[in-house]
Amino acid sequence: MTLRIRLATQQDAPALARVQRTSWRAAFRGLLSDDYLDGLDHEPLTKTWEGLLTRAGGAGAGTLLVEQTDHVVGYSRFYPTDDEDDDSVQVGMIGSIYTLPDVWGTGVGKTLITAVLDAMASAGYAEATLWVLEGNTRARSFYERNGWHHDGALVLDRSEVLPIRKLRYRKGLNR
């Protein structure tokens, strides 16, 4: 299996939208409403990605994607933390990390998160955080196997569909 990790460009927006829609429908079934997941539409997601990739996020931010045989199979975005209780310039946040369900359990996610953490360390971050749905046991197990821990922070997010509980995970970055 040949994997290639690179920075995403605006031309990657349709592929990133496909990965987001497909992975969300698989990962969040039973955690978010079926109507919401089934209603995820490729075109608006593509427009959102075009906007995100146009703005790029500045220093200390980026979107990495992973390709397998020239097909995008996953992505991750990172940027300075936006958590009010964690405003150190040395803390970066992984805002998203998703892979297609058909590569789950193959090492693609581990390869991607390793690359993202390396990029974050190179950008000067000493720690990384991310938020995960409390009920997403598959993702929580993945993070814990890879050295992350729940730092005690919990939020009730009402931004998408319904109130969902998210836990913050944290990991120190070795430089």
Side-chain angles (χ1 to χ4, degrees), residues 81 87-92 124-128 173 175:
T81 186
D87 60 0
S88 167
V89 294
Q90 293 188 323
V91 178
Y125 295 116
E127 288 186 295
L173 302 178
R175 294 196 219 187

Side-chain angles (χ1 to χ4, degrees), residues 118-133:
D118 288 347
M120 293 175 77
S122 294
Y125 295 116
E127 288 186 295
T129 62
L130 57 80
W131 290 92
V132 60
L133 297 182

